[in-house]
């Protein structure tokens, strides 16, 4: 007959003692105690769990607070690296630029670049005389330079404007200069663009006119308007070839509109960019398109509210 264990409740202290101090409870207690001592001494449980988690790391979902913190850290690191790279690129492009216009185009909004005082003087001297006067009289700049405490220049992009801060060795501002948007938009010795025809520039779409028609209209407007349509005509005389077409942009920036002149020569076509006051270019377009009376109120308003 098979012997079965006693599953009844103990009836006395003697029964309790027999059950507590039996071999099996004592062995179980010793094993648990040994496991605890070994865990405290060798951390075998943590090591076993860690080894298991490592083997299943690739198949477990990326969720939880630790994963989220890790993702945020990686994203922040990538964003920071991108910001640093962009600023280094902007700084490099600004230092290698040949004109203030190129610096304004290369700098992102609300960012700046540091130039030496000598580099700023070089860029200033490349400007035509009337434009350099708009920025700062040469005699005043000469006085700042002659005192010997002008060390560097910080150029900051603020919207469509470029602001120059002349700094001393302790980065104190000696003079703040606003570079007018008109100066930045006007043509310079680097005003040739990569486009071969005016159709390559989207802002001139549906506003391209034969050069003869454009310059006949230019001759028809009053002299004070004519001077404000092409702000630096000498530079348009430099390219070789025949002017064949002129484009007028549909976008105005701070009271100025970009113009493009397409030249045809033996080597092909090229486009030169210039700019004019918005109100004056509107008046010229009215002559070209025969709508002078219709746009006269608009032109009058722009003329009254545009900087001269």
């Amino acid at each position: 007959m098979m012997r079965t264990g006693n599953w009844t409740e103990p009836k006395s202290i003697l029964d309790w003692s027999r059950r507590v101090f039996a071999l099996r409870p004592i062995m179980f207690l010793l094993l648990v105690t040994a496991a605890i001592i070994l865990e405290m001494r060798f951390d075998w449980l943590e090591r076993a769990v860690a080894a298991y988690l490592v083997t299943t790391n690739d198949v477990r979902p990326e969720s939880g607070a630790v994963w989220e913190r890790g993702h945020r850290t990686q994203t922040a690191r990538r964003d920071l690296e991108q910001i640093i790279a962009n600023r280094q690129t902007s700084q490099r492009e600004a230092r290698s630029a040949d004109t203030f216009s190129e610096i304004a185009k290369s700098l992102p909004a609300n960012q700046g670049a540091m130039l030496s005082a000598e580099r700023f003087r070089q860029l200033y001297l490349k400007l035509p005389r009337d434009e350099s006067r708009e920025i700062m009289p040469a005699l005043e700049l000469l006085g700042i330079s002659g005192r010997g405490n002008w060390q560097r220049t910080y150029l900051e992009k603020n919207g469509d404007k470029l602001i120059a801060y002349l700094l001393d060795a302790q980065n104190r501002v000696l003079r703040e200069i606003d570079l007018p948007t008109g100066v930045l938009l006007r043509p310079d010795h680097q005003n040739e663009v990569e486009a071969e025809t005016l159709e390559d520039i989207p802002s001139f779409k549906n506003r391209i006119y034969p050069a003869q028609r454009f310059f006949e209209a230019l001759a028809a407007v009053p002299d004070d308007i004519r001077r404000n349509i092409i702000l630096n005509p000498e530079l348009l005389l430099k390219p070789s070839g025949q002017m064949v077409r002129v484009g007028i942009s549909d976008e105005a920036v701070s009271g100025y509109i970009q113009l493009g002149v397409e030249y045809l020569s033996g080597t092909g076509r090229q486009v030169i960019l210039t700019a004019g006051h918005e109100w004056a270019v509107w008046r010229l377009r009215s002559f070209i398109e025969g709508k002078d009376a219709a746009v006269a109120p608009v032109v009058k308003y722009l003329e009254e509210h545009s900087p001269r």
Side-chain angles (χ1 to χ4, degrees):
M1 182 177 179
M2 183 181 337
R3 185 177 178 182
T4 61
N6 188 2
W7 296 100
T8 61
E9 183 180 355
K11 302 298 185 180
S12 64
I13 295 177
L14 183 60
D15 290 339
W16 274 108
S17 300
R18 288 175 179 173
R19 294 195 182 187
V20 170
F21 295 104
L23 180 61
R24 289 180 181 178
I26 292 174
M27 291 296 295
F28 178 75
L29 181 61
L30 290 175
L31 288 174
V32 171
T33 303
I36 294 174
I37 294 173
L38 291 173
E39 164 61 20
M40 295 176 65
R41 178 64 179 83
F42 300 107
D43 298 326
W44 64 270
L45 184 59
E46 286 86 347
R47 295 175 183 270
V49 172
Y52 171 76
L53 292 176
V54 168
T55 59
T56 60
N57 187 58
D58 295 335
V59 296
R60 282 185 291 117
E62 297 182 2
S63 61
V66 175
W67 284 109
E68 291 299 325
R69 283 197 297 270
H71 282 309
R72 286 197 295 268
T73 301
Q74 292 177 358
T75 301
R77 187 180 294 111
R78 285 196 299 268
D79 292 344
L80 181 59
E81 290 174 352
Q82 186 62 45
I83 291 172
I84 293 173
N86 291 340
R87 293 203 172 186
Q88 289 176 342
T89 300
S90 299
Q91 182 79 19
R92 189 164 51 250
E93 291 178 350
R95 288 177 175 173
S96 62
D98 290 324
T99 64
F100 290 119
S101 301
E102 292 183 7
I103 294 177
K105 292 175 183 177
S106 65
L107 284 178
N110 301 319
Q111 291 192 21
M114 190 73 74
L115 304 179
S116 66
E118 177 62 28
R119 184 58 180 158
F120 182 87
R121 284 195 296 266
Q122 292 173 359
L123 296 177
Y124 175 87
L125 292 173
K126 288 183 178 181
L127 292 170
R129 182 173 300 177
D130 59 334
E131 295 183 9
S132 61
R133 286 201 195 107
E134 284 188 52
I135 294 176
M136 187 180 194
L139 190 59
E140 186 175 350
L141 186 62
L142 180 64
I144 294 175
S145 179
R147 286 193 289 271
N149 53 352
W150 176 27
Q151 297 296 320
R152 59 184 67 88
T153 304
Y154 183 73
L155 295 175
E156 180 183 36
K157 182 76 170 290
N158 187 358
D160 296 324
K161 296 181 179 180
L162 196 63
I163 303 176
Y165 300 94
L166 309 188
L167 308 174
D168 64 10
Q170 286 73 41
N171 289 328
R172 290 191 294 260
V173 178
L174 303 174
R175 176 69 188 273
E176 177 181 336
I177 305 172
D178 289 339
L179 278 70
T181 307
V183 171
L184 302 179
L185 287 177
R186 292 179 195 179
D188 47 41
H189 67 286
Q190 293 291 332
N191 57 348
E192 181 179 345
V193 296
E194 294 181 359
E196 294 183 355
T197 65
L198 292 170
E199 284 85 354
D200 296 333
I201 304 176
S203 61
F204 294 142
K205 184 178 181 180
N206 300 324
R207 290 178 175 81
I208 300 175
Y209 309 97
Q212 182 178 358
R213 182 178 172 187
F214 177 89
F215 286 101
E216 286 176 353
L218 184 66
V221 300
D223 186 60
D224 62 323
I225 297 177
R226 187 182 309 118
R227 287 196 302 268
N228 286 280
I229 293 173
I230 300 178
L231 297 176
N232 206 339
E234 294 84 3
L235 294 175
L236 295 180
L237 295 173
K238 293 181 178 180
S240 60
Q242 178 66 36
M243 290 181 284
V244 290
R245 294 189 301 171
V246 179
I248 299 177
S249 174
D250 60 348
E251 301 175 357
V253 180
S254 299
Y256 293 86
I257 288 182
Q258 192 175 64
L259 306 174
V261 181
E262 183 178 323
Y263 292 77
L264 177 62
S265 64
T267 58
R269 294 176 182 263
Q270 64 173 333
V271 174
I272 303 297
L273 299 180
T274 182
H277 286 290
E278 182 182 11
W279 64 269
V281 177
W282 265 85
R283 191 63 177 268
L284 180 68
R285 282 189 57 203
S286 71
F287 272 86
I288 294 176
E289 299 177 358
K291 298 184 289 187
D292 188 45
V295 301
V298 178
V299 173
K300 183 178 180 181
Y301 174 83
L302 292 173
E303 185 174 357
E304 292 174 350
H305 293 79
S306 296
R308 296 302 184 93

